[in-house]
Amino acid sequence: MGGQIAGFRDGFAATDAPFVVFLDADDAWLPDFLLAHLSAHLNATHSAALSSSDVFLVDGSGTLLSGTFLPLRKPRSGPDSNGVAIAPGGQLAGIASGIAYASEHPVTYFAPATTGWLWSPCSAIMYRRGALEPILSFPFKAKVGTDYLTATCAHLAGGSLILSEGLGLYRLHGSNQSSTGSGFAGGHVRQTPAYRAYRSTLAADVVDYVLENSAWLSDVNGRNFIPAFLTQHVRQFRELADDPRLMRHLIRGRPWQWLRMHVGQWLRRLGGRGST
């Protein structure tokens, strides 16, 4: 009845573990998934709110379709100028050999100021409990697409670690909630039309969360963080430009950019009325 977000809340309430992962029933982890994520989180350079590893894409029968999830922000043609490379976690071996995981694949840290989707799908993401708790207690309107809400909002608190190694299987079987599984053509996984239309609800939920928590997010990330994030968010979801609550934040950030988006939105609406 409560949708995917209710499942997240129930699973979260059933454990008191300091790190939490939600494994969808149609996906799978490879043997080193948990070890690799914990080792990345406990690196000696950057602490983060969540981590995401790469995944292999398979179809409903388990046939391999792709060796990577392209939207994942891992290095593909050299270092990412917005990310910080994390040295292998071998230094953990001396104090906690059970969670030391030496990988030859890069691990990259992205600070909260890096916006947009950085991660693989739901089953490939590990959260710190402290970052996830305020998110799952928030009264979001959306019932599905929960990993968009949890990943985006948790990232704002402490940034993300991106593990370039494929550590799980993401199954495309044609009945996925957010993506089409038929006729995978390589490149980006195509989103279903229903999910594309639903993204506006998710985007508005993120705005609600950010505005409700703007004081402590500004304390953690600096006074200009909220205007910068909301400017980028409205650039991606232009339908949000009409929200009157955003005006003071966007004006404080980049007033001319906000004005241009707002005028463009008004002209598109005017043109739509004139064509009917």
Side-chain angles (χ1 to χ4, degrees):
M1 292 292 290
Q4 186 185 28
I5 194 167
F8 272 47
R9 287 168 174 153
D10 288 346
F12 184 79
T15 178
D16 59 359
F19 294 95
V20 180
V21 191
F22 301 100
L23 178 61
D24 287 341
D26 47 0
D27 298 333
W29 294 333
L30 298 181
D32 288 325
F33 177 91
L34 294 175
L35 194 63
H37 276 263
L38 288 171
S39 187
H41 270 285
L42 299 176
N43 77 84
T45 311
H46 285 82
S47 184
L50 69 158
S51 60
S52 177
S53 53
D54 206 351
V55 290
F56 297 93
L57 275 58
V58 299
D59 67 12
S61 62
T63 300
L64 184 64
L65 301 175
S66 175
T68 187
F69 184 75
L70 273 181
L72 180 73
R73 190 74 174 269
K74 75 176 188 179
R76 296 184 185 275
S77 59
D80 190 314
S81 59
N82 292 316
V84 178
I86 303 295
Q91 69 270 18
L92 292 172
I95 57 174
S97 58
I99 57 174
Y101 181 76
S103 173
E104 297 178 357
H105 300 266
V107 176
T108 309
Y109 170 78
F110 289 95
T114 307
T115 58
W117 182 265
L118 310 175
W119 314 278
S120 290
C122 172
S123 299
I125 301 174
M126 176 179 283
Y127 302 89
R128 283 187 179 271
R129 185 179 191 86
L132 195 57
E133 191 164 16
I135 299 168
L136 291 181
S137 64
F138 191 79
F140 292 112
K141 298 179 181 67
K143 303 301 181 187
V144 297
T146 307
D147 55 336
Y148 176 82
L149 299 175
T150 52
T152 301
C153 295
H155 176 72
L156 300 178
S160 299
L161 292 162
I162 301 301
L163 287 68
S164 299
E165 185 174 4
L167 293 166
L169 305 179
Y170 177 58
R171 198 175 304 277
L172 293 171
H173 46 64
S175 299
N176 302 78
Q177 198 169 73
S178 61
S179 58
T180 62
S182 58
F184 177 69
H188 292 266
V189 178
R190 290 172 292 178
Q191 293 179 330
T192 63
Y195 186 79
R196 286 199 300 271
Y198 190 67
R199 290 196 313 162
S200 293
T201 301
L202 295 169
D205 267 345
V206 168
V207 168
D208 291 342
Y209 180 84
V210 168
L211 294 180
E212 178 69 23
N213 294 280
S214 60
W216 75 266
L217 286 173
S218 295
D219 288 343
V220 171
N221 297 303
R223 64 184 298 271
N224 292 322
F225 176 77
I226 299 298
F229 171 78
L230 290 175
T231 297
Q232 293 297 324
H233 196 60
V234 172
R235 180 184 293 170
Q236 182 180 4
F237 301 98
R238 293 182 181 272
E239 63 272 21
L240 299 176
D242 289 336
D243 189 332
R245 300 173 301 166
L246 301 184
M247 183 177 298
R248 68 183 181 92
H249 295 285
L250 298 180
I251 287 177
R252 199 175 82 197
R254 296 180 179 178
W256 293 112
Q257 186 179 70
W258 177 86
L259 181 62
R260 184 174 61 187
M261 285 190 297
H262 199 72
V263 169
Q265 192 88 348
W266 179 79
L267 289 173
R268 284 193 293 274
R269 289 202 305 273
L270 186 65
R273 285 198 295 267
S275 62
T276 55

